[in-house]
Amino acid sequence: MKQSAVDAVIRGLKKAGVSIVCYLPDSLFKELYPALDADPDIRTIRVTNEGEGAAICGGVFLSGKRAALVMENSGLRASVEPLARMGLGAGIPVVMLMSYRGELGENNWWAIPHGITMEPILDALRIPYRVVREEDAIEQSIIDAYNWSYNAYYHSAIALGGSVVR
Amino acid sequence: MKRYDCMTRLAARLRDELVILSLGASVDEWYNAAPHMRAASLFQQQLGCVTPQAFGLAAGLPHRRIISLDTDGGMMFNLGILATLGNEQPKNLFTVVWDNECYQSIGGPPTHTAFGRVDIAAIARGAGIDHAYTARTLEEFDAHCAAGLAAEVPYLVVAKVAGTVQPDIRRKHSDGREDKYIFVRHVEATEGIVIMGPSEHN
């Protein structure tokens, strides 16, 4: 990611009121994670799998603070169980920011499943999402996701793809 | 050792703490054992989510004591949270694992702890939670509650309890969604904050 895209993500998170980020690092967001770690206004929590991160974000919601789950889109598959239980069972929302691995242009065979499964899984869970491929749209998209999730009390997702992450 | 008896001992020590608890029969037991904590307890049906949610709550409210009432099945569903707690070292999180060595709510088939080899407290210590213990008597459990509620480091006690359920107790009628609203409104009132506020327009 370019530094300008990293900056746009962090601006969006801050404008949305996020103070805690749970993440499991990936390669497309490689530059984002240390920037989040270094930001004095954001507490980062490194997790062992994205499902654990989703549950921690749910707990943060209950505290009145705002959290984000940052991950590769493969982490969505690891998160389905807690997302279904928290979102559909209790109305506890998690806002996700994920890198779009496996979209057209992907040149790693192992990432193809991530692209094939991401949108059907989001649709199956009825999670609204926006794929953002223009740097100018990052900040407002993150703000929009929080506005929606804090009125729906349900999950939403932003997937960053295209030249934003490559 | 009966889980319900442990719960009454723990409940007697609680005042303004917040509790996240696991699924199964322990829900109705806690509902009855700690009636003064009903609004302060999030009753959820989320295997593997309980201690992570409690940690998230603890991270968001660092001045407030948070209690996770997890289970052997729930903790083993997501052992990774123990490593996260080991690294993050929350100062305000007391975790209880009700270990009845079975999946009680579906009739009692054994969990991995039933065969004498798997030791959740030892796994927790190996993950960096230095204060992780196993209690086999009410007196031991009560002493760990006293220590865990005062600890400035993550504290975990595995309570080895019988696979029985307290008979003739009142069932909780609310579902997970209603429970969330009750809990959130309690947090809002006691913290003086807004979590679920009004829309822009009515």
Side-chain angles (χ1 to χ4, degrees):
Chain A
M1 281 178 88
K2 291 180 195 161
Q3 185 60 45
S4 53
V6 168
D7 292 343
V9 169
I10 293 179
R11 270 199 317 275
L13 291 172
K14 288 188 179 183
K15 285 191 177 173
V18 172
S19 60
I20 296 177
V21 169
C22 293
Y23 74 75
L24 195 143
D26 77 303
S27 52
L28 290 181
F29 281 170
K30 184 174 62 180
E31 295 83 4
L32 176 60
Y33 301 108
L36 290 166
D37 287 334
D39 195 293
D41 300 325
I42 292 174
R43 175 183 176 180
T44 52
I45 297 173
R46 299 168 198 218
V47 296
T48 63
N49 69 76
E50 296 87 346
E52 177 197 323
I56 294 171
C57 287
V60 173
F61 165 79
L62 297 167
S63 77
K65 300 274 177 29
R66 291 194 176 195
L69 176 59
V70 180
M71 59 190 181
E72 185 180 74
N73 57 352
S74 58
L76 178 65
R77 297 198 300 265
S79 306
V80 165
E81 168 68 4
L83 288 174
R85 287 182 180 265
M86 288 193 298
L88 295 168
I92 295 172
V94 177
V95 179
M96 293 168 276
L97 178 69
M98 60 185 80
S99 61
Y100 199 157
R101 267 285 179 200
E103 63 178 333
L104 293 187
E106 179 63 57
N107 57 358
N108 293 287
W109 65 266
W110 48 263
I112 300 304
H114 310 349
I116 289 175
T117 55
M118 181 185 83
E119 294 186 60
I121 289 172
L122 289 167
D123 289 339
L125 289 169
R126 289 181 263 156
I127 297 174
Y129 62 93
R130 188 179 297 166
V131 178
V132 177
R133 296 188 178 90
E134 302 295 331
E135 195 176 298
D136 290 349
I138 293 175
E139 182 180 328
Q140 188 59 46
S141 293
I142 292 172
I143 294 167
D144 289 348
Y146 280 88
N147 277 334
W148 190 89
S149 280
Y150 273 76
N151 279 278
Y153 300 113
Y154 195 60
H155 319 308
S156 61
I158 300 296
L160 299 187
S163 60
V164 166
V165 289
R166 288 187 173 83
Chain B
M1 182 164 71
K2 289 168 65 178
R3 183 173 57 199
Y4 191 82
D5 295 336
C6 293
M7 286 181 172
T8 58
R9 295 289 185 100
L10 172 60
R13 296 182 175 279
L14 300 185
R15 300 178 71 84
D16 65 350
E17 296 83 356
L18 297 171
V19 181
I20 309 262
L21 68 143
S22 189
L23 71 176
S26 66
V27 167
D28 286 336
E29 287 192 336
W30 183 249
Y31 189 72
N32 287 272
H36 67 299
M37 296 296 288
R38 283 178 187 167
S41 299
L42 187 67
F43 300 84
Q44 294 286 277
Q45 298 284 328
Q46 295 162 5
L47 200 67
C49 288
V50 173
T51 299
Q53 276 191 342
F55 170 53
L57 188 59
L61 297 172
H63 54 281
R64 195 97 180 250
R65 181 69 55 173
I66 310 299
I67 297 149
S68 172
L69 300 183
D70 214 323
T71 60
D72 49 335
M75 187 57 81
M76 285 188 294
F77 195 90
N78 177 21
L79 285 170
I81 185 60
L82 295 174
T84 300
L85 296 182
N87 277 341
E88 294 291 331
Q89 292 290 307
K91 295 178 177 176
N92 57 332
L93 179 62
F94 175 42
T95 301
V96 176
V97 181
W98 305 121
D99 184 1
N100 59 10
E101 302 184 353
C102 67
Y103 295 102
Q104 184 182 53
S105 61
I106 57 163
T111 61
H112 277 44
T113 61
F115 304 99
R117 299 185 190 93
V118 177
D119 180 339
I120 293 174
I123 295 171
R125 287 193 295 275
I129 302 172
D130 294 338
H131 291 278
Y133 307 95
T134 300
R136 298 179 187 280
T137 68
L138 265 181
E139 291 68 31
E140 286 175 358
F141 178 77
D142 200 35
H144 283 303
C145 288
L149 291 169
E152 294 285 311
V153 291
Y155 197 107
L156 181 146
V157 59
V158 177
K160 284 287 189 180
V161 293
T164 55
V165 180
Q166 185 71 5
D168 303 324
I169 53 174
R170 188 178 163 212
R171 296 290 315 275
K172 180 177 74 69
H173 288 200
S174 51
D175 66 3
R177 205 166 281 268
E178 183 174 354
D179 289 339
K180 179 204 71 171
Y181 280 98
I182 293 168
F183 183 81
V184 164
R185 298 310 179 199
H186 176 79
V187 175
E188 288 179 330
T190 55
E191 290 290 329
I193 59 174
V194 174
I195 300 172
M196 302 177 73
S199 293
E200 183 183 4
H201 303 294
N202 284 320

